[in-house]
Amino acid sequence: MGLGSPAPPIKVDNWLRGQPLTSFQPGKVYIVEFWATWCAPCVAALSDLVQLQEKYRDSGVEVLGIAAGERAQTAEKARSKVDAWLTEKLPNLNYRIGLDYTREMDELWMDSSFSIGIPTSFVVDRDGHIAFIGSPTQLEEVLPKILTGSWRISDEAKAADAERIAKGERTMPIFAKLTPAMKAQDWAKALSVVEEAVAVLPDDVNFRVLHADLLLHKMHDLQAGLPVMRQLVRDAINKKSAMWMAGALRQLFDPAIDNSHLPQAQRFAMGNELSGHILAINPAQRGEAPKFVSYPAVAQYYYESGNKDRAIELIEVTLKSLDGPAPIPDNLKQQIMSEAVQTLANYKGQKACYGSVCATPQPGVSQSPKAQAPEERR
């Protein structure tokens, strides 16, 4: 299924919000949003759709939220879970929500269109055909074009859909093999699948980071892992991407990961290079880019290098960034805040607070830096 295909049928177990809908009505445009309560980005996506529904209601647009792939032992438990989540997170909801516990609709829509990951938006146009499949962040730009009928026939839409399908066709078989291997902790099998993925998708940061993680931290294969890590660092810097650089830096300076087996001189050299580039493209004095993605790993690098004051300063900047203009889902915000305050307490060696969140130093966490960068020992 892709651009221009007839929309698959609506198949839900229960309608939890709004009146039941059994079929798409000609002349209306429908946004069908696939989501789940465990999906952090879905909170912002569903909230944005409240505004979109209000804005375009008079143009014949109707939003359907489909809770698919909910993790619960029974359909009743899934229904209760989704209902409670909606009551807490979206009390001002103004569109329908359906529960797809059996995954029948998920298979008809997501699987058949090679769509991977949620939230994913489908737009059904006035004649019942698929006009768009992609991220809900694109709807504000695409929806006006769909309403005028100009989007589906455009070269831009066709190219975007072809690229989406091509990526899906490549990645779906990979995930089908990777997920069971990771669950079984069969690292050799997982490595084989990830190497296949990196070969066809060298610009997918998640596969690249997982490649390094498997070799360095799961298999402790430094001979193969260090060159992979060094290449990841080079590519991340060349891309000037804070997300790529943070992913690489976390493999070297995540407190939750035991890095004691890595060659410390190489580890600190890569950490120094990545930290410098992250701070250059996302400086502390500018507030427009979210710091919580990359700053905790930079702070840990400074802490282990012996510069505790700089580490504390960066965690404080991380916390302030959570109150910036960029929307962050509440559950993700609380998780990041809790972790950052705990880190702050550990670094300071005393109780730390931010807003209503407080923490005391964790037992067994050294208040002196664990190691020093070789260049700083000289």
Side-chain angles (χ1 to χ4, degrees):
M1 181 179 75
L3 202 67
S5 301
I10 301 167
K11 298 278 188 180
V12 299
D13 302 279
N14 303 101
W15 289 101
L16 304 183
R17 297 290 187 277
Q19 295 299 310
L21 184 72
T22 56
S23 62
F24 298 111
Q25 304 302 307
K28 288 193 173 184
V29 171
Y30 294 89
I31 298 171
V32 183
E33 186 78 13
F34 283 81
W35 67 283
T37 59
W38 46 262
C39 158
C42 290
V43 186
L46 292 183
S47 182
D48 289 344
L49 285 172
V50 170
Q51 277 77 51
L52 213 62
Q53 175 67 91
E54 189 65 34
K55 182 176 179 180
Y56 289 102
R57 187 185 301 280
D58 293 342
S59 301
V61 174
E62 290 197 20
V63 177
L64 314 179
I66 307 299
E70 205 54 47
R71 295 166 181 167
Q73 291 179 328
T74 66
E76 180 57 31
K77 287 182 179 179
R79 190 197 65 75
S80 297
K81 187 177 178 183
V82 174
D83 186 54
W85 190 95
L86 291 169
T87 300
E88 179 192 352
K89 301 291 185 184
L90 294 166
N92 62 336
L93 198 67
N94 57 358
Y95 53 83
R96 293 179 176 90
I97 296 287
L99 174 65
D100 176 33
Y101 181 73
T102 62
R103 288 198 73 248
E104 186 177 0
M105 192 165 174
D106 194 58
E107 290 174 5
L108 288 169
W109 291 69
M110 293 286 290
D111 293 354
S112 70
S113 64
F114 299 103
S115 297
I116 296 170
I118 51 175
T120 293
S121 300
F122 294 77
V123 179
V124 180
D125 64 15
R126 299 188 195 278
D127 64 1
H129 289 74
I130 299 295
F132 171 81
I133 307 171
S135 168
T137 58
Q138 299 171 269
L139 289 173
E140 193 70 59
E141 178 188 350
V142 171
L143 194 56
K145 299 174 185 176
I146 292 173
L147 290 171
T148 63
S150 63
W151 173 256
R152 203 174 90 192
I153 58 173
S154 69
D155 291 339
E156 183 185 1
K158 292 171 184 174
D161 203 55
E163 183 181 345
R164 180 192 62 76
I165 290 172
K167 184 175 182 181
E169 287 175 330
R170 292 194 299 267
T171 54
M172 284 186 83
I174 290 168
F175 279 111
K177 291 182 285 186
L178 179 61
T179 302
M182 292 295 289
K183 283 183 178 177
Q185 298 188 7
D186 184 345
W187 306 133
K189 174 64 176 174
L191 177 65
S192 171
V193 177
V194 168
E195 286 177 341
E196 173 192 339
V198 168
V200 296
L201 294 165
D203 290 324
D204 188 304
V205 64
N206 296 313
F207 287 135
R208 293 288 300 278
V209 169
L210 181 56
H211 190 198
D213 182 55
L214 285 167
L215 287 167
L216 292 178
H217 301 115
K218 302 296 190 294
M219 305 177 78
H220 285 210
D221 184 349
L222 299 185
Q223 185 174 358
L226 286 171
V228 166
M229 187 70 224
R230 285 193 291 268
Q231 187 62 53
L232 174 61
V233 171
R234 282 195 296 271
D235 290 348
I237 290 169
N238 289 338
K239 289 176 183 294
K240 297 183 172 63
S241 166
M243 184 173 69
W244 273 71
M245 287 189 274
L249 191 58
R250 280 193 293 269
Q251 289 301 306
L252 301 165
F253 288 92
D254 184 338
I257 297 175
D258 179 10
N259 279 303
S260 60
H261 62 291
L262 299 184
Q264 295 305 302
Q266 293 187 49
R267 177 173 169 248
F268 277 99
M270 287 186 279
N272 180 56
E273 193 174 9
L274 286 165
S275 296
H277 281 279
I278 288 171
L279 294 174
I281 67 168
N282 189 5
Q285 64 272 22
R286 287 217 308 266
E288 65 270 20
K291 315 296 183 188
F292 62 83
V293 174
S294 52
Y295 269 36
V298 178
Q300 185 67 17
Y301 161 74
Y302 276 105
Y303 181 72
E304 293 192 37
S305 297
N307 193 340
K308 189 163 70 169
D309 291 342
R310 181 67 167 140
I312 290 169
E313 177 191 344
L314 290 170
I315 293 297
E316 289 172 342
V317 171
T318 300
L319 285 163
K320 288 175 186 172
S321 79
L322 295 173
D323 297 321
I328 305 168
D330 286 344
N331 54 349
L332 179 61
K333 184 175 180 178
Q334 288 303 314
Q335 178 189 338
I336 294 166
M337 187 180 297
S338 176
E339 291 173 357
V341 172
Q342 183 63 69
T343 300
L344 198 59
N346 292 344
Y347 287 177
K348 289 183 172 182
Q350 62 189 40
K351 183 179 179 180
C353 294
Y354 187 81
S356 61
V357 179
C358 293
T360 55
Q362 290 170 310
V365 176
S366 170
Q367 300 315 319
S368 59
K370 300 174 188 174
Q372 286 191 323
E375 63 271 20
E376 292 184 16
R377 280 204 295 263
R378 287 197 290 270

